[in-house]
Amino acid sequence: MAATYLQEEHHIFREAFRKFLQKEAYSFYDEWEKQGIIPREFWRKMGENGFLCPWVDETYGGFGADFGYSVVINEELEKVGSSLVGIGLHNDIVVPYIASYGTDEQKKKWLPKCVSGEIVTAIAMTEPGAGSDLAGIKTTAVKQGDHYIVNGQKTFITNGIHADLVIVVCKTNPQANPPHKGMSLLVVERGTPGFTRGRKLEKVGLHAQDTAELFFSDAKVPAENLLGEEGKGFYYLMEKLQQERLIVAIAAQTAAEVMFDLTKRYVKERTAFRKTISQFQTVQFRLAEMATEIALGRAFLDDVIEQHIAGKDVVTNVSMAKWWMTEMAKRVASEGMQLHGGYGYMEEYEIARRYRDIPVSAIYAGTNEVMKMIIAKHLGL
């Protein structure tokens, strides 16, 4: 059943985006995986065709599109491959911080280029010693005149190599008690003195997605690059992390649907003992179980999306969606590979790539253990 938040214009947009991806992405994706990065040229083409941050206000170069368009974009990107996750991060996770908390000057300076693809963004939260425990970060930003002097290290940063703008989570008041009240967000631009990038990290999956370490050694950041107010960074993160987790759930649900279709097609073609393996009851039952979980996931996800679009508090439900759908997608990946037999372990089969790409979705945007902690807290436990 079609989601009620998607209207005819969304479906027309989806078809246009699919055609764009057929021409500009599907044919090149395997090569991008081998090269270990998505070309900047693809980002620019996305921007030229109106597929980057379409929700941005027309004043700053966007179309003022609703979240339904973001859902469509993220679903279609995931169908190509999970390594395109960095585009969803730019569109619906990082740039919204600028739109929500930036000054008019900051918006005029950065948003049009975020929409055009001239600027690629990243957000730097995780550190070698601090992941889901955001209050435990060590990166500091000390105010000196009209600049902040930033020192620290970030790791596992999506879009870390390409990023022209990095929203850095830092401590502007390391003595704050409790610690989270001393956190702020600073926008660090490419070429900032003292800001360097480490190696592009080699990951189990998402091979074409550029993930990197970032280093700040007396990095001199203009005070005007403070995003919002000093000391409010943690609260900004808590507000925006809900949409980030929803984006992860959307990608996981879509990946599960893709993997199911790949597996169903394969078992109907593969023969053993003089019949297709789809004719064996054990295979039929496993596919029936997968199809049921996927249908349940889609129904719950669409409900959460509708609530999010309506501006409702979705903290509990989005945490449920994030952990359950990423775990469900992992189960589908495992079953899908098993039902492909030996071929499922071969790189030439898409299920193999999907199998190694999906596990990280249960880790980033807050681990699934943290999701359960949030749910428990909202249950009054």
Side-chain angles (χ1 to χ4, degrees):
M1 189 169 69
T4 57
Y5 57 84
L6 296 179
Q7 305 301 316
E8 183 181 1
E9 56 267 29
H10 295 101
H11 298 305
I12 294 170
F13 179 83
R14 187 190 294 274
E15 285 306 311
F17 190 40
R18 277 179 179 166
K19 289 178 182 177
F20 169 82
L21 293 174
Q22 287 290 345
K23 179 183 178 184
E24 303 292 349
Y26 280 97
S27 301
F28 307 105
Y29 190 83
D30 287 343
E31 188 59 35
W32 295 346
E33 287 271 288
K34 292 174 185 174
Q35 293 171 352
I37 202 160
I38 306 293
R40 284 297 293 251
E41 181 61 24
F42 179 71
W43 282 86
R44 285 190 286 271
K45 287 179 180 178
M46 285 279 293
E48 288 169 6
N49 287 274
F51 301 129
L52 292 180
C53 309
W55 54 267
V56 167
D57 192 275
E58 293 180 24
T59 307
Y60 307 108
F63 304 114
D66 61 55
F67 187 70
Y69 289 88
S70 294
V71 175
V72 168
I73 290 172
N74 282 285
E75 287 178 343
E76 295 304 318
L77 288 172
E78 179 60 39
K79 288 175 187 176
V80 179
S82 300
S83 283
L84 291 169
V85 65
I87 294 173
L89 178 122
H90 169 85
N91 280 358
D92 300 303
I93 297 171
V94 185
V95 179
Y97 281 93
I98 298 171
S100 294
Y101 310 119
T103 63
D104 192 48
E105 290 73 21
Q106 289 172 333
K107 292 177 187 179
K108 287 177 180 176
K109 181 180 179 183
W110 295 322
L111 288 182
K113 292 184 178 181
C114 291
V115 172
S116 69
E118 295 171 75
I119 283 179
V120 173
T121 63
I123 186 163
M125 301 186 210
T126 304
E127 298 182 1
S132 294
D133 179 17
L134 285 173
I137 64 165
K138 303 297 183 186
T139 300
T140 59
V142 179
K143 187 82 173 289
Q144 289 186 6
D146 57 358
H147 285 80
Y148 285 95
I149 305 302
V150 182
N151 283 283
Q153 178 183 350
K154 299 290 183 177
T155 193
F156 309 144
I157 306 307
T158 304
N159 294 345
I161 298 298
H162 273 328
D164 306 292
L165 288 182
V166 182
I167 296 177
V168 179
V169 181
C170 52
K171 291 278 184 71
T172 47
N173 181 8
Q175 284 74 46
N177 187 20
H180 70 264
K181 290 191 174 180
M183 295 170 61
S184 301
L185 305 182
L186 275 182
V187 180
V188 180
E189 300 174 84
R190 179 184 290 277
T192 296
F195 166 42
T196 57
R197 300 163 210 260
R199 61 197 173 93
K200 189 179 86 65
L201 301 173
E202 295 184 10
K203 307 182 295 298
V204 171
L206 304 183
H207 289 170
Q209 202 290 305
D210 59 308
T211 306
E213 301 169 311
L214 306 179
F215 300 95
F216 306 91
S217 180
D218 290 333
K220 197 174 181 182
V221 181
E224 63 194 33
N225 282 24
L226 175 70
L227 201 57
E229 298 178 38
E230 262 197 23
K232 294 287 183 69
F234 184 80
Y235 302 101
Y236 298 153
L237 291 168
M238 290 305 99
E239 182 177 329
K240 293 300 181 187
L241 276 169
Q242 305 321 308
Q243 182 159 298
E244 177 172 356
R245 288 161 183 165
L246 183 53
I247 295 299
V248 174
I250 291 167
Q253 176 67 30
T254 305
E257 292 167 356
V258 170
M259 291 185 287
F260 177 80
D261 288 342
L262 289 171
T263 304
K264 180 182 174 184
R265 191 180 317 131
Y266 181 81
V267 299
K268 291 175 74 173
E269 295 171 351
R270 176 70 171 172
T271 59
F273 306 102
R274 297 181 302 280
K275 57 182 177 181
T276 63
I277 61 174
S278 64
Q279 293 176 279
F280 291 96
Q281 189 181 65
T282 182
V283 174
Q284 293 175 352
F285 280 12
R286 289 160 87 172
L287 286 166
E289 290 166 3
M290 283 191 280
T292 302
E293 286 200 86
I294 289 168
L296 290 170
R298 174 54 68 180
F300 184 64
L301 178 62
D302 283 344
D303 182 64
V304 177
I305 291 170
E306 285 189 13
Q307 292 182 53
H308 179 62
I309 290 173
K312 296 180 181 179
D313 183 348
V314 294
V315 173
T316 303
N317 284 358
V318 86
S319 300
M320 290 176 174
K322 193 273 182 184
W323 88 255
W324 193 85
M325 280 158 206
T326 56
E327 294 294 340
M328 179 268 288
K330 286 162 62 180
R331 291 193 294 272
V332 172
S334 181
E335 288 282 11
M337 174 178 273
Q338 184 70 24
L339 290 173
H340 274 72
Y343 290 104
Y345 204 62
M346 298 296 110
E347 283 289 328
E348 64 193 270
Y349 280 74
E350 186 178 342
I351 193 67
R353 165 165 59 80
R354 295 282 178 179
Y355 179 83
R356 56 177 163 78
D357 282 349
I358 201 64
V360 72
S361 64
I363 298 172
Y364 56 37
T367 65
N368 284 357
E369 290 73 21
V370 170
M371 295 303 98
K372 293 172 189 178
M373 289 170 61
I374 294 169
I375 295 164
K377 179 181 178 182
H378 284 264
L379 290 175
L381 301 175

